[in-house]
Amino acid sequence: MVIKIKKICCIGAGYVGGPTMSVIADNCPEISVNVVDINHERIDAWNSENLEDLPIYEPGLKEIIKRCRGKNLFFSTNLENNISSADMVFISVNTPTKTKGVGAGKASDLKWVEASARQVAKYASKHTIVVEKSTLPVRTAEVIKKILTSAELQSDNHNEISFDVLSNPEFLAEGTAINDLEKPDRVLIGGENEIAMQALANVYLSWVPANKILLTNIWSSELAKLTANAFLAQRISSINSIAAICEATGASVREVSRAIGTDNRIGSKFLNSGPGFGGSCFKKDILNLVYLSSYFGLNEVANFWESVVNLNNWHQHRISKLIVKKLFGTVTGKKICILGFAFKANTNDTRESSSINICRDLLDEGAILFIHDPKVNANQIAIDLGSKENQTLLNKKNNLNLNEGEWCFANTVEEGFKESDAIVILTEWEEYTHINWSNASKEMRKPAWVFDCRSIISDEDICGSNLNFWRIGDGSKTNNI
Ligand code: NAD
Ligand code: UGA
């Protein structure tokens, strides 16, 4: 028996639901793809005429939206109709770390997943394949299955309503989401019923080669997603720990990365030292793994993974302390230009961005921050920093130092450079690689510093600019060039 999918509903129109469903719609014109969300504002933004107003920025996304929206890709708040008529429902809602109750600070909060399962149970009208797209703790499928099974039993037409639950974790990275979805390293499908698994595999087979589609059991699929993120984050903490040793010893982390990356067993990717990993998932997924390990009494395993997060926190604060130290031990009343607030380039996402902790530390020390980012707006920064922007800073010609511990949004990098004591690069946006450092230097108060936390400035770029230059993991870059 083969189940042919004609209509898909995705619950959750976020950083995963939006791009994932857009790529499915683009590659499967015969399937009607309906993305639903309880957040009206977000759905309005997805339906916006002006494609610059889409709720998330992702290279290549707006072109797909232009091609498919209104044809076989729809965004709406109507959960009832779209769930009821779907053959397959993806659950793609947020799963943040719990803030209270049992497991607070580590376990995932599954209330949105449970609510989604209950909505499916309530509105489904026929056999429905339910797909976990959200990242979930091991054995969550069991919970979803229990909720759906009780709905099956309660229903008047229980001969027609039935469910299969599959796990299909998403491995896309923000900023490269469309490419990752178009050409995935693998698509993982975990489940029990081979017919349901094949139905989902057939959707992907429209554009993904068969040898990249891995079928497995549901628990291994759930655990594989947490493990992949834990391994990736662990690499970043590892290389950032080496960066600190490099700075102490005069070695260069870029050279160390190059040397170890040529070993096929290690590989060259994910070895860039930076200001610490951010993003909505690495920390939350590792903490989830920590919680799971402790739950099963595996305390050494829990400690091992928790150290990856601890090192990351330490590393972020290490950078802010270092900036203060280089600026003669105080940044009170000093103007510092922050370049980049997103957690990485090519996204407008700031969740868990290292910029948040580093900026907060500097504000606590009394610095005046001019923050620039090409895609993040001032409102978002205010939410993340927990303090309002002081726009009058932009027009002040002098006495800026009276505003210690305040910040404003710099509309251009030049606005940030003027009379500043330091420039701190926190996100590797392409436009920051083209800065003319001699011109920037002329605008700054001397002695002036550039802190390159992303290793995007070369020695040639900055040579002769009369700027003090510090680069992450570079033991030789502490003096005037
Ligand atoms: P997000 O917060 O951007 O989006 C989630 C959306 O779900 C929100 O718009 C919210 O309003 C909606 N929602 C919540 N409950 C709902 C309900 N009951 N009915 C309808 N809509 C509801 O989250 P995200 O970044 O897209 O992440 C979603 C999941 O995917 C998480 O589990 C995350 O770990 C995982 N994931 C994220 C990424 C990423 O790059 N962001 C990558 C892989 C996996
Ligand atoms: C990450 C994973 O790469 C995805 O496979 C996964 O699907 C996703 O998490 C998720 O589950 O949410 P993402 O967080 O979007 O994707 O972005 P990454 O490219 O992994 O970067 C994460 C953080 O690590 C960023 O702050 C980035 O700047 C930092 N990073 C990355 C480094 O500091 N150095 C590197 O070499 C690579």
Side-chain angles (χ1 to χ4, degrees), residues 179-241:
N179 191 50
D180 295 345
L181 288 161
E182 292 284 0
K183 297 189 194 91
D185 286 348
R186 76 309 207 183
V187 167
L188 187 59
I189 300 175
E192 286 165 351
N193 179 348
E194 280 179 21
I195 296 170
M197 291 164 80
Q198 200 49 53
L200 178 55
N202 286 343
V203 172
Y204 285 108
L205 278 169
S206 297
W207 78 98
V208 179
N211 63 354
K212 300 223 162 178
I213 299 181
L214 311 181
L215 305 183
T216 182
N217 62 64
I218 206 154
W219 323 127
S220 305
S221 171
E222 288 175 336
L223 186 57
K225 171 64 196 177
L226 293 182
T227 309
N229 273 0
F231 267 58
L232 289 170
Q234 171 270 124
R235 265 174 92 91
I236 301 170
S237 279
S238 298
I239 202 67
N240 284 339
S241 76

Side-chain angles (χ1 to χ4, degrees), residues 356-421:
I356 300 174
N357 276 340
I358 294 172
C359 288
R360 278 193 187 152
D361 284 351
L362 294 174
L363 289 171
D364 283 348
E365 292 282 341
I368 298 158
L369 303 184
F370 277 52
I371 305 174
H372 179 270
D373 191 287
K375 291 291 172 195
V376 179
N377 61 38
N379 289 343
Q380 187 57 49
I381 297 174
I383 293 169
D384 291 331
L385 293 180
S387 70
K388 276 200 195 138
E389 178 191 20
N390 180 354
Q391 285 177 344
T392 66
L393 294 174
L394 281 175
N395 303 320
K396 280 202 166 175
K397 295 269 178 282
N398 43 35
N399 283 343
L400 209 56
N401 56 354
L402 295 177
N403 294 86
E404 55 192 58
E406 295 196 304
W407 69 275
C408 68
F409 187 77
N411 295 300
T412 60
V413 290
E414 289 76 19
E415 239 170 28
F417 295 165
K418 223 167 188 43
E419 288 301 314
S420 66
D421 293 271

Side-chain angles (χ1 to χ4, degrees), residues 171-172 174 225 229 236 270 272 278 281-282 343-344 454:
F171 296 101
L172 68 80
E174 289 178 31
K225 171 64 196 177
N229 273 0
I236 301 170
F270 255 71
N272 294 325
C281 295
F282 277 177
F343 80 95
K344 62 185 280 195
R454 290 287 188 175

Side-chain angles (χ1 to χ4, degrees), residues 11-16 37-39 42 79 92-95 112 115-116 119 134-135 170 172 174 225 280-281 284 351:
I11 306 178
Y15 283 85
V16 167
D37 204 295
I38 40 174
N39 182 334
R42 215 169 205 187
L79 275 78
S92 190
V93 298
N94 36 323
T95 51
W112 292 275
S116 303
Q119 283 156 336
S134 297
T135 303
E170 185 48 63
L172 68 80
E174 289 178 31
K225 171 64 196 177
S280 62
C281 295
K284 129 179 123 58
R351 291 177 289 180

Side-chain angles (χ1 to χ4, degrees), residues 406-444:
E406 295 196 304
W407 69 275
C408 68
F409 187 77
N411 295 300
T412 60
V413 290
E414 289 76 19
E415 239 170 28
F417 295 165
K418 223 167 188 43
E419 288 301 314
S420 66
D421 293 271
I423 296 171
V424 184
I425 300 173
L426 292 177
T427 313
E428 72 283 23
W429 286 104
E430 223 256 332
E431 67 175 87
Y432 300 152
T433 63
H434 304 302
I435 290 170
N436 180 323
W437 292 103
S438 296
N439 290 348
S441 172
K442 285 180 201 138
E443 301 292 325
M444 298 173 74

